Amino acid sequence: MNDGKAKVPSPTIPGWRLLISTAGRFWAFRETPFSAKARQAGAEPDLDADTFAEIQAAVELQEEIARLVAARGAES
């Protein structure tokens, strides 16, 4: 039976679990831990923001920190 309401797909961010609170706030939790070195460099595995665009930007910043740490390790 169809209730007539359109199904809006939930936004996703690959590698992150995304939750939207009843107040409309976005929370993202990384599915796999960052390395200890990435954490020491400031990569945060749990984030929150007011909009999907803001949470996407915050996630990308954390992933960039992790990439930079990994690249530095590869250069050693």
Side-chain angles (χ1 to χ4, degrees):
M1 181 180 232
N2 188 341
D3 64 5
K5 295 181 182 177
K7 301 286 184 198
V8 178
S10 297
T12 61
I13 300 174
W16 290 74
R17 183 168 181 232
L18 190 64
L19 302 172
I20 305 170
S21 73
T22 56
R25 190 152 177 81
F26 289 82
W27 296 82
F29 303 91
R30 197 163 196 269
E31 292 175 348
T32 58
F34 284 118
S35 69
K37 288 183 179 183
R39 291 285 308 263
Q40 289 170 352
E44 294 290 334
D46 52 274
L47 308 166
D48 62 294
D50 291 324
T51 67
F52 183 64
E54 288 174 357
I55 202 74
Q56 282 181 303
V59 163
E60 181 53 35
L61 178 60
Q62 304 318 302
E63 294 293 343
E64 181 63 18
I65 291 168
R67 283 190 294 271
L68 289 172
V69 167
R72 274 187 296 198
E75 293 172 2
S76 299

